[in-house]
């Protein structure tokens, strides 16, 4: 690894093709290999510049691994590489999606009052997971093309997946609450 690696895209750092579909086992192997090569402990007796570079490379490798192993972060990163910006403050969605989100949130809010809260929460969690998996599949298909309109649709799928991730986090927090009793 060299200083030039700091400017390479995350896929190039691990010698992976630029694609939404990433072999997670290969990514994990190449991550461990790259970390072994640049780990700051290996440079304890090196010059100040070499120690600093090893720390920067280790941080870059950690960030690249975090992004590429997560479908949502990977989708966002691929869109950024293609010049498609995502504005986290943009909450404009179609009416059907907004209704779906409201219904799921209302059902989550009513879990504690249901006859079997654990069962009800599992049903909702499975729905959230199914919607998330469908959006990930949609993103994968749309990001394989070279069509800018497809990338815009992938952007919308990515934004929707962010909402489902937040819902999943809320469901997980509620599950923790239920397990405390």
């Amino acid at each position: 690894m060299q200083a030039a690696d700091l400017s390479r895209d995350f896929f190039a750092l691990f010698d992976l093709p630029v694609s939404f579909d990433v072999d997670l086992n290969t990514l994990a192997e190449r991550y461990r290999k790259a970390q072994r090569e640049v780990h700051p402990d290996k440079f304890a007796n090196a010059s100040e510049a070499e120690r600093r570079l090893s720390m920067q490379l280790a941080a870059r490798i950690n960030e690249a691994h975090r992004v590429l192993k997560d479908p949502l972060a990977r989708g966002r990163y691929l869109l950024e590489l293609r010049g498609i910006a995502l504005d986290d403050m943009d909450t404009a969605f179609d009416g059907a999606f907004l209704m779906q989100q409201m219904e799921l949130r209302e059902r989550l809010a009513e879990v504690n009052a249901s006859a079997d809260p654990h069962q009800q929460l599992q049903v909702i969690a499975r729905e959230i997971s199914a919607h998330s998996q469908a959006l990930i599949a949609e993103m994968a298909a749309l990001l394989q093309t070279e069509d800018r309109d497809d990338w815009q649709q992938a952007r919308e799928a990515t934004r929707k997946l962010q909402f489902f991730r937040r819902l999943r986090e809320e469901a997980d927090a509620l599950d923790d609450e239920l397990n405390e009793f």
Side-chain angles (χ1 to χ4, degrees), residues 48-154:
E48 173 68 25
E50 289 172 321
R51 286 195 310 267
R52 188 173 354 151
L53 178 60
S54 79
M55 289 184 357
Q56 289 173 330
L57 286 169
R60 178 92 173 150
I61 290 165
N62 285 338
E63 175 68 7
H65 181 252
R66 183 193 65 76
V67 167
L68 295 184
K69 74 177 183 180
D70 174 25
L72 176 58
R74 188 170 56 243
R76 289 180 63 104
Y77 183 67
L78 276 168
L79 288 168
E80 286 175 29
L81 287 177
R82 293 172 178 171
I84 306 291
L86 278 141
D87 178 3
D88 290 333
M89 303 307 286
D90 180 6
T91 57
F93 286 101
D94 61 81
F97 178 74
L98 292 174
M99 284 301 295
Q100 180 186 48
Q101 291 295 304
M102 283 178 37
E103 288 173 16
L104 284 167
R105 286 189 189 289
E106 286 174 8
R107 289 174 53 204
L108 274 176
E110 295 169 355
V111 161
N112 281 327
S114 69
D116 187 347
H118 291 281
Q119 172 70 19
Q120 185 61 27
L121 185 57
Q122 285 180 352
V123 169
I124 294 169
R126 280 195 297 268
E127 282 183 46
I128 293 169
S129 180
H131 288 297
S132 296
Q133 290 305 313
L135 286 167
I136 289 169
E138 182 180 344
M139 287 168 50
L142 292 166
L143 289 169
Q144 284 183 342
T145 74
E146 295 298 321
D147 186 332
R148 194 162 179 83
D149 290 338
D150 285 348
W151 297 349
Q152 288 297 332
Q153 290 179 39

Side-chain angles (χ1 to χ4, degrees), residues 1-12:
M1 293 264 165
Q2 306 168 13
D5 292 328
L6 290 171
S7 61
R8 295 172 68 194
D9 73 61
F10 292 164
F11 295 96

